[in-house]
Amino acid sequence: MVRQLDGTPMERLGPKDFQLVANGHRLPVSLKSLRKVPKGSARVPRTRVLIIVSTDYLAGGGTKEGLLSELPAHFGQNEIAMVTNNGFATRYALTKQGLVAALRNGAMRATNWQQAIKDLNNYPGRRVLVYMTNRTGRTPESLRQWAATIGALIYQVGGDTDENYVYWGDETTTPSLPAYGESIYGESAPPAGGTAVANNTAIWESFATKSVRDVYVEKSIKEALHDIAQDGYGYYVLRVAIPSTVDSLELGVKTSQDYQLSAQPYSQSGARMPVIVLPGSKEPQ
C-alpha cells in the first residue's frame, strides 16, 4: 500500500517504480493494481472487507437487516463478511445474496471480532475494516491496534466525525471541520473565514487533514465502500522470484514525493519468507 503523507493513494505506479533489493542487487518484479487492470477482470486483486457491527450500533436502532439493505447487489472486487459483538460472523461473500443467505440460514460461525481480524491476516491481499457505530467519540483504541497488526485501514460509519479529524497532527474537537459528504482526499477546503479557525479552545492555522491513524469517518456504508474503492488505487501486488538464500528484502518506491509504505510478504508454496525492510528516507510505516 503506497500513499502520500496526507493519506492520498499513490496510483498509476508501474513495475519500474518499485525498488526491490536483495543482497545489494535489484530484483525485477511484475505488478498488479486495481487501477491498471480493466474493471471486472479476474486478475484484479480482491479486497476483503470485514464489517464489525458494534453493540451500540444495534442498541441505537441499527439492524443487520437494515445494514444489508444498504449494500449493493454485487460487491465488485470486494469480498464482504459481517461480525457482531455477540460473537458470530458470516463467511466472506461476493454478493448481498450471499450475506443474506448466511444470516437467514444461520450459517454463521461462533467467534469474536478479534479472532475475525486475526483470520483476516491470513488473507494474501488487501484488508479493510468497517466499524458500525451510533456512539459519539473516537474509534476504540483496541480496534485501531488490531487493525495495525494486519495493515488494515478502518472506515467508521456513524459516530462523531469531528473526533477523528486532526489539525497539524493534533487531535481536537472543533465544529469547523469538513462536513459529511465532503471529499476526504488530500487537503480539505478551508472553513469559511479563511485558514485561521477560532473555536472555544484555540486558534488553528492549518487545513484539516485525514483522520487519526487513518480512521475514515463515513456517513453511510455506501459512502464507505466508495472510499474503500478509491483508496484501493494505492494498493499493489508485486510478484518476484526470490532465491532461498535471501533473508531480507529492501523495498522502496522511486518517486520525488514523500510517501507512506506498508508491505507484507506471502509465498504461494508456503516457503519461509524473508523480512521486508522499508527504508526510512521517505517516512514509511
Side-chain angles (χ1 to χ4, degrees):
M1 190 74 181
V2 189
R3 291 172 289 165
Q4 298 177 31
L5 297 187
D6 66 358
T8 305
M10 293 187 69
E11 50 187 289
R12 304 186 189 280
L13 297 176
K16 294 183 179 179
D17 296 317
F18 289 90
Q19 299 175 320
L20 195 61
V21 178
N23 297 330
H25 298 284
R26 184 171 178 176
L27 302 176
V29 301
S30 62
L31 178 148
K32 291 182 181 180
S33 73
L34 293 177
R35 175 63 89 183
K36 288 182 173 289
V37 180
K39 186 177 181 181
S41 170
R43 295 172 52 237
V44 176
R46 291 197 181 278
T47 298
R48 280 198 169 175
V49 180
L50 178 63
I51 300 177
I52 301 173
V53 183
S54 68
T55 301
D56 55 78
Y57 175 79
L58 299 175
T63 64
K64 296 188 291 293
E65 292 73 20
L67 174 57
L68 283 168
S69 69
E70 297 184 45
L71 296 176
H74 298 276
F75 301 154
Q77 296 304 324
N78 294 331
E79 298 179 0
I80 299 180
M82 187 183 301
V83 62
T84 61
N85 268 12
N86 63 358
F88 291 92
T90 68
R91 63 182 182 273
Y92 283 91
L94 292 170
T95 64
K96 181 195 294 188
Q97 183 179 4
L99 279 183
V100 170
L103 288 170
R104 288 181 177 175
N105 300 333
M108 299 182 72
R109 58 191 177 87
T111 186
N112 53 45
W113 63 264
Q114 294 95 333
Q115 185 59 50
I117 291 176
K118 288 178 67 176
D119 294 342
L120 187 57
N121 192 43
N122 297 323
Y123 176 64
R126 182 174 175 237
R127 288 72 63 91
V128 170
L129 306 180
V130 176
Y131 180 64
M132 304 295 301
T133 181
N134 284 320
R135 183 181 180 183
T136 59
R138 297 180 61 208
T139 305
E141 184 64 24
S142 59
L143 180 56
R144 296 168 185 262
Q145 293 175 356
W146 277 91
T149 63
I150 66 168
L153 299 182
I154 306 176
Y155 297 77
Q156 177 176 308
V157 178
D160 186 353
T161 184
D162 294 347
E163 289 288 347
N164 284 296
Y165 276 94
V166 296
Y167 273 82
W168 269 348
D170 295 323
E171 299 173 32
T172 180
T173 54
T174 168
S176 305
L177 292 170
Y180 280 140
E182 293 187 19
S183 174
I184 63 170
Y185 293 96
E187 294 180 338
S188 302
T195 58
V197 183
N199 58 30
N200 60 357
T201 57
I203 295 178
W204 307 93
E205 296 179 347
S206 176
F207 295 109
T209 67
K210 278 207 163 182
S211 50
V212 178
R213 292 200 191 175
D214 298 316
V215 173
Y216 307 131
V217 180
E218 308 283 353
K219 184 177 181 180
S220 67
I221 188 65
K222 181 179 179 180
E223 292 184 12
L225 292 176
H226 174 270
D227 287 342
I228 287 169
Q230 292 285 90
D231 279 330
Y233 294 149
Y235 179 78
Y236 299 87
V237 174
L238 306 179
R239 292 182 178 272
V240 59
I242 305 172
S244 59
T245 56
V246 172
D247 293 322
S248 66
L249 293 169
E250 184 176 293
L251 174 64
V253 181
K254 186 179 180 181
T255 175
S256 59
Q257 298 176 291
D258 287 345
Y259 59 81
Q260 297 174 320
L261 174 63
S262 59
Q264 186 168 359
Y266 285 94
S267 169
Q268 289 182 324
S269 65
R272 180 182 62 86
M273 292 302 299
V275 174
I276 301 294
V277 179
L278 306 177
S281 58
K282 293 292 184 178
E283 297 194 29
Q285 64 173 19

